[in-house]
Amino acid sequence: MNENNGNINVGSYSNLEEGSSIIRDATNNLKTNLENGDVYLKNIQRPRIFEGPVADHVSGVWDVINKATTNNINEFENSANTLDNITANYQATDKKSSNDIGGVI
């Protein structure tokens, strides 16, 4: 972060870029964990391994977890894209302002 006594300066885009990167890392981790969970659940749901009402309940709970996590992944991706758009807009506005006032930046 480009700071001067705690103030964010023109051209301080790294915080937004870092936030977007952190969100994408978290999203990738969630996707990997969700995929691993699917594999584990399929392995225990093979015939004669884990059957009956408890198995059905676990499968239903996993479906709820899976759906909620997928929704969170989508929201995280939207948030990262929003930060990218904000960063691009700030940079474009700063460049235009700089050009308009004679290249101060």
Side-chain angles (χ1 to χ4, degrees), residues 16-90:
L16 293 171
E17 292 166 349
E18 182 180 0
S20 178
S21 177
I22 289 169
I23 291 170
R24 284 200 169 86
D25 288 345
T27 300
N28 289 333
N29 287 336
L30 281 172
K31 285 180 183 177
T32 299
N33 289 331
L34 195 59
E35 290 167 1
N36 290 340
D38 283 339
V39 170
Y40 298 143
L41 191 63
K42 286 178 184 169
N43 282 338
I44 64 170
Q45 286 182 325
R46 291 188 316 229
R48 318 278 282 149
I49 294 178
F50 187 51
E51 297 177 327
V54 174
D56 293 341
H57 177 73
V58 168
S59 181
V61 169
W62 179 252
D63 289 343
V64 170
I65 292 169
N66 192 311
K67 183 177 180 179
T69 303
T70 299
N71 288 338
N72 287 333
I73 288 169
N74 292 333
E75 290 299 319
F76 281 158
E77 288 174 343
N78 288 338
S79 295
N81 291 335
T82 298
L83 284 178
D84 289 342
N85 289 334
I86 290 169
T87 302
N89 287 335
Y90 276 143

